[in-house]
Amino acid sequence: MAQPAVFRVEGVTKTYVTGSVTVAALRGIDLILNEGELVVLLGASGSGKSTLLNILGALDSPTTGRVFFRDTELTGLDDAGLTAFRRAHVGFVFQFYNLVPSLTARENVALVTEIARNPMPPEEALDRVGLAARLDHFPAELSGGEQQRVAIARALAKRPEVLLCDEPTGALDSATGVTVLQAIWEANRDLGTVTALITHNAAIRQMAHRVIRLADGRVTAIEENASPQPPQGIEW
Amino acid sequence: MVMRALDRKLLRDLRRIWAQALAIALVLGCGVMVLVLATGTERSLRLARQSFYDRMQFADVFASATRVPKGQLAEIAAIPGVAQAEARISMQVVLDLPGQTKPAQARLVSLPEAGAPVLNRPVLRTGRLPDPRATDEVALSESFAEANGLFPGSSFGAILNGQWRELRVTGLMLSPEFVYLIGPGSLMPDDSRYGVIWMGEVPAAAAAGLTGAFNDLSLTLTRGASRDRVIDALDRQLAPWGGTGAYGRDLQSSDQFLSGELDQLGAMAVILPPIFLIVSAFLVNMVMGRLIGLERPVIGLLKAMGFTGREIALHYLKLAAGIGLVGVLIGWGAGWWLGAELTALYTRFYRFPWLVYTPGTASFALSALMGLGAVVAGALRAVRGSARLAPAVAMQPPAPPRFRRGHIDALAVRLGLRQTTMMILRAITRWPGRALVTSLGVAASIAVLVACFFTYDAISSVIDAAFSRTNRQSVTLTLAENAPRSVIEDAAHLPGVLRAEGALAVPVRLSHGPRSERTLLEARSPEATLVQTLDAGGHAVPLPADGLALPESLATKLDLHAGESVTVTLLAPPRDSFEIPVTRVIRQDLGETASIPAAALAARMRMAEQVNRIDLLLDPDRLAEFDRAVKATPAIAGTLFWPDVQRQFDATLNENLTRSVSIYAVLGVLITVGVVYNAARIRLSERSYELASLRVLGFSRAEVGAVLVGELMLLTLLAIPPGLLGGYGFAALIAEGFSTDVVRIPLVIARRTYAVAALIATVSALVAALAVRRRLDRVGLATALKQRE
Ligand SMILES: Nc1ncnc2c1ncn2[C@@H]1O[C@H](COP(=O)(O)OP(=O)(O)O)[C@@H](O)[C@H]1O
Ligand SMILES: [Mg+2]
């Protein structure tokens, strides 16, 4: 790989302490994500995938270890610095869509474009995920797949350098899931957005440049995929 | 204008919680309303008084005497500190109005020969001033003329100098001296029975037997002059001429009442609004806390998107401010409207030529500031929590609340309580903060209700004390001058008189150490039964054989206690001073009069007992005969019919009190409704899953509803004792704040008041809780179970 690293993760551990219970969610992760790459994080439930993704997206900070985004050390930033980082560079997509229920599709996207530096118009972002016709619908009036595509449009609208997706198809059936994945895949292909996508559906790995397997808070394997497939060809 | 998406969310959130927001806004609105009402009306009244006094040259110092030669006026005007001095004739006259058997009474005041006076200038409303030389022309105070159907051109009879004379009305006037006009010895203005007559100086002097002299004096002071020093000099100057002690505006009857009213409005602005503002702050705290709890995922999301904690906090603060804004607008509207109504009401008691409702911007600005301040303060804690929430944590559902087995559980098991009762108890112990806010809110409401009904109790007690126990006479006759006791016998022989008792009222100055007060001293026989003194508890007690009985308010002002000595200086001849012990401190709600046994005063004045006032008990069937006889007796300068006074008192109070009590009762109820409705909505949103589960388990609607309503009613019942206690304290504040120099509000609360307040709050709470319970019926079981928050 000749591309420069976008993320560099060095010896990251994360330990949660709740009362008398201590959980080691990550036990020493070293990892690099490269420019333009789409990686899939695979692993059993509880293996630490979300924890890792949250740390990459600066939603959470590691207990030990260092995380770099290009030349910036995220682990050295304060809360305001982390907020600014998220605001400028990261788009998130979550399993449960997390749309603001009182805002329409367009307004949910506008929420982000209003605070971004160089956003695309909300209409364009929604058109990209095939929702140009549902601009003024409230989340409750949209199907699960449509809601998730709004969430993707919202994440992409600010033209983020990084797109982090935590089980975006987890709550969807297979056919709907494919349309959602297609939107993510196209964004990576057309905009070059570095994308990390969590799933525990192994079939999805075919769309990635690399597949990173986690188990018990450790990276157990990294597979390269020479010819990523568009999700439309994938079945599960 | 393009609205930001976040602001659009805000508006939609506000619309979604509109019922709760409105409930809070109404409570807040009450506080804002009272603030606008009180300060706005106070300002209007103050401005009206100021402009009237300034434009019409209201005097600073007033004095009367028996007979002062005109030549003295120049010397009085030369007293250092006196700017202008004006002399006139003033006397009480009995009137014989067309078509009325009962005599009316008026104060006759002379107009200078040159025409209009320089000081206390009346405003001519219609007609013209009387011709200064005409013996039969007079101007009338407007309200008296209106109440009796008199107008320029009408005539009526008056007993002047012992003779019945016909007088013709030339014009109607208002004077800064008589904005609030109350007859001597009376307790309320009575426009149909007491008024003012202006007459040219020459005929007035002739009627009073004072040609070449005057008996009444008004002064203005130069800037920076010492009023007290001028009064002292004036008293020395007038002493040889029967002066009865000069006094300033603070003791001028009309201004004294006006100042009392202004003080009461000021007290209203200070005492009432804080309760409403504090309750709304707590309500906002409760509702915002819940809302932000529900919005955790949204907050996490906003943080993930890169919104700063400050932006998110601002978003929720704006939501609270939105609720506050609605409340402020409601309060402004209601305050403006009620202020205009109250001002209109004042025009019936206070006669201003220019009373316009001008609440001013300050009262609106201040109330908005306080209203918004209250909601923001209430929201702050919850909002700060939202800003601090870590994004990754926010997006996870909150951990289910932890219940712990405690003493209550053990007790409950021992008592064999049902599980649904346990749910109620656990909910209260699990969220003690919210339970406390709910209970305290209801308690505040009960306190407001107690205080509101207390005003009824207090006024009833004042009326009872004044009319049933202190003044039991049918009529009080004022004599034109002091007379020997034998006149009591003469009065007893007037037709229809069942009993007659005499009294001597003299103006005095009471001094104790550095403190001194000008007041009226009434000497009467200790055996008198028509007019009685009351002890501190309100029971009639005979006058002590010697010494002074002082009303509590005077005793406080003079820092006197029973047993201590006070110096009495007679302000009328023989003008002696003497020391006398205070033997009793008495209750007197209306006015301030010191009492002394007649013999004790006579001994100290070293003269035979005299009277200038006779109280009579009349046979109600022979009133007409009595009235005719009074009109034919020149020695009688005035008559005061006590049943009329009481009727006037009752009518005025019934109207005013009913109005204000109903308004405040509504305010009190609104607090309970606002608090209980919000608490119930929050409970419902928190527990819909749990309550739906009960339904799935086979509990009936009524049983499940009882869990929700039961908790709130339990909290309401717990609120009753502190609410009643708070009500007592609140009533004490009102009694203190609303007592003035002219009326003392006794702290008397009937047991029924407590019961009614508790009952009203309980019923309002029940209605509010049941309104929310109905929503419970509408929650579909399946949806409630699926949407686990
Ligand atoms: N906020 C938290 N507090 C305590 N334990 C946590 C928290 N978040 C995650 N964990 C624990 O850390 C481990 C990894 O969790 P996670 O990263 O969510 O796994 P995955 O996403 O792979 O299913 C799990 O055992 C989980 O219970
Ligand atoms: Mg996960």
Side-chain angles (χ1 to χ4, degrees), chain A residues 42-137:
Chain A
L42 268 183
S45 180
S47 57
K49 304 182 297 292
S50 296
T51 304
L52 178 58
L53 202 76
N54 286 348
I55 288 173
L56 289 178
L59 287 182
D60 214 344
S61 34
T63 309
T64 62
R66 314 210 299 169
V67 179
F68 293 88
F69 174 75
R70 301 194 197 284
D71 295 330
T72 314
E73 185 184 344
L74 295 184
T75 35
L77 295 179
D78 61 2
D79 189 59
L82 294 177
T83 301
F85 164 70
R86 291 198 298 270
R87 190 169 185 143
H89 305 293
V90 190
F92 284 100
V93 179
F94 303 99
Q95 180 178 356
F96 295 108
Y97 332 133
N98 287 21
L99 298 182
V100 177
S102 56
L103 295 179
T104 62
R106 191 209 308 257
E107 290 161 355
N108 260 285
V109 178
L111 202 53
V112 173
T113 58
E114 281 164 3
I115 60 165
R117 224 173 290 151
N118 176 29
M120 59 178 85
E123 296 77 13
E124 184 189 328
L126 284 162
D127 187 31
R128 190 175 279 282
V129 295
L131 286 177
R134 329 277 330 238
L135 293 177
D136 295 319
H137 290 241

Side-chain angles (χ1 to χ4, degrees), chain A residues 49-50 166-167 198:
Chain A
K49 304 182 297 292
S50 296
D166 193 342
E167 300 193 38
I198 292 180

